[in-house]
Amino acid sequence: MTIKKICVIGAGQMGQQIALGAAINGFDVILNDSFDTALEKADKWSKEYLAGRIEKGKMTQTEAEAAQSRFKIEKDLAMAAQAADLVIEAIVEKLDIKRELFARLDRLCPAHAILASNTSSFVPSKLADATTRPDKVVDMHFFNPALVMELVEVVQGPQTSDETAQAIMQVSRQMQKTPILLKKEINGFVVNRILGRTFEEACRLLALGIASPEDIDIAVTKGLRWPMGPCATMDLSGIDTCYNIRVQRFAESQEEIDRPPAILKEMLDAGTLGRKSGKGFYDYSKK
Ligand code: NAI
């Protein structure tokens, strides 16, 4: 199937960049949000972003104008969804709210439209049965910032058709991304599962008193050439977020390997949540 018109729902951090990225790469895009102020902010940001690209010589005036003309905001969900070939949902990470939206989109979108979620954690089967088109429900997981990060994880649920998964792979490539296909659904997808293992190993090494957070991070940045070590990354993500992700994963899998590291719970109880609280593995209060 050919996808030309994309509707992005949720004009927050992720949605606005996904929408503008699609417009820059030739798709007709409509961005919708349930909060008018979010749409107004996204509209202003898109203009500033494109102006910045011209200034830096990354885009010509004509290219920027063409991208802007393909990028529309629409406050009314029915209007936004009525002609979409593909909807990319990027709203709050709450399953009941996403399911309610998917059910509405199912009623509002053309029969051929694919409904994709940019969710970080919910597999397609958690959303598919809220619709009458489970074969057209898929995850399309971008990374933050979506205009910069190259990877898209495409997750095919048990009901997602091959045609749908391949169409999303193709759209991702047209958006200048490198997509990977998860042929079965699994909590955390690929990147966050691997990242989670590095967090867990760092916590184990700390608990055993093997090395300090600083030295663990130096080992990973200098030895593996990762841009950031696991302790600094956990502080950035938020210790509460890291802990909650593991609690959810353990609840689903019941596998010992997924049990949240005790050190994260201790930090959570102590209120040392990372950068946001001024202290985590590192002390940010003096910076
Ligand atoms: P955000 O909080 O910046 O934006 C969410 C937007 O959705 C807000 O503008 C809000 O007004 C809007 N919204 C909420 N409920 C809505 C509804 N029912 N209908 C229409 N709009 C609604 O959130 P962010 O960070 O952009 O995350 C969005 C999704 O992307 C989440 O599912 C998140 O897990 C996922 N994600 C986030 C990443 C990140 O690093 N922030 C990375 C990859 C995925």
Side-chain angles (χ1 to χ4, degrees):
M1 72 174 292
T2 311
I3 290 172
K4 290 198 171 111
K5 295 184 174 157
I6 299 182
C7 170
V8 177
I9 318 276
Q13 276 195 80
M14 295 302 292
Q16 63 178 7
Q17 295 215 5
I18 293 169
L20 189 58
I24 288 170
N25 288 292
F27 293 98
D28 290 323
V29 180
I30 298 184
L31 178 61
N32 167 271
D33 196 289
S34 50
F35 291 91
D36 291 358
T37 45
L39 281 178
E40 283 148 22
K41 264 200 210 162
D43 195 38
K44 185 167 173 274
W45 166 83
S46 72
K47 293 188 171 91
E48 286 167 3
Y49 176 84
L50 290 172
R53 300 304 281 172
I54 299 170
E55 230 172 82
K56 287 184 188 141
K58 305 271 184 196
M59 239 185 211
T60 64
Q61 179 85 30
T62 315
E63 284 167 342
E65 277 170 12
Q68 193 69 64
S69 73
R70 289 189 291 264
F71 178 88
K72 306 240 157 44
I73 59 165
E74 173 56 64
K75 294 175 182 178
D76 183 70
L77 181 66
M79 293 290 286
Q82 62 175 356
D85 300 314
L86 163 65
V87 177
I88 304 174
E89 168 274 311
I91 68 165
V92 60
E93 189 74 350
K94 294 250 169 72
L95 185 59
D96 53 340
I97 301 180
K98 284 193 194 284
R99 282 180 60 87
E100 194 193 316
L101 177 64
F102 269 64
R104 285 181 74 195
L105 287 169
D106 187 39
R107 293 192 293 272
L108 295 171
C109 290
H112 71 272
I114 292 176
L115 307 182
S117 178
N118 178 49
T119 173
S120 312
S121 51
F122 303 120
V123 290
S125 60
K126 298 238 187 228
L127 300 166
D129 66 352
T131 76
T132 58
R133 59 181 91 193
D135 59 313
K136 296 189 176 66
V137 175
V138 64
D139 283 350
M140 186 179 193
H141 184 221
F142 291 81
F143 289 77
N144 192 5
L147 273 167
V148 177
M149 299 293 279
E150 282 171 39
L151 183 68
V152 174
E153 291 178 321
V154 180
V155 187
Q156 186 168 7
Q159 294 144 300
T160 314
S161 69
D162 289 342
E163 193 192 5
T164 297
Q166 287 310 322
I168 298 302
M169 296 289 283
Q170 183 55 29
V171 169
S172 304
R173 289 187 198 102
Q174 283 172 254
M175 288 178 70
Q176 311 296 327
K177 302 294 180 199
T178 304
I180 61 150
L181 178 63
L182 277 75
K183 296 179 194 157
K184 285 185 189 171
E185 45 184 42
I186 187 162
N187 180 301
F189 313 148
V190 172
V191 169
N192 287 337
R193 288 185 76 81
I194 291 178
L195 189 63
R197 292 289 173 243
T198 68
F199 290 172
E200 172 193 301
E201 192 54 41
C203 289
R204 197 194 315 266
L205 294 171
L206 284 168
L208 290 171
I210 305 290
S212 65
E214 289 83 354
D215 280 350
I216 290 172
D217 283 353
I218 288 171
V220 170
T221 52
K222 303 292 178 198
L224 295 174
R225 289 194 142 195
W226 289 19
M228 255 175 123
C231 301
T233 310
M234 282 188 274
D235 274 359
L236 184 65
S237 309
I239 301 302
D240 49 343
T241 306
C242 297
Y243 179 75
N244 290 334
I245 288 170
R246 291 301 290 257
V247 167
Q248 196 189 328
R249 187 169 304 160
F250 182 57
E252 271 184 34
S253 76
Q254 288 300 310
E255 288 179 28
E256 204 46 42
I257 194 169
D258 290 331
R259 188 182 287 282
I263 201 166
L264 293 185
K265 179 74 169 71
E266 285 160 20
M267 291 172 76
L268 185 72
D269 291 345
T272 49
L273 305 181
R275 282 177 183 261
K276 65 173 108 171
S277 72
K279 193 171 187 315
F281 291 105
Y282 294 88
D283 188 350
Y284 302 92
S285 58
K286 292 177 204 81
K287 286 187 187 164

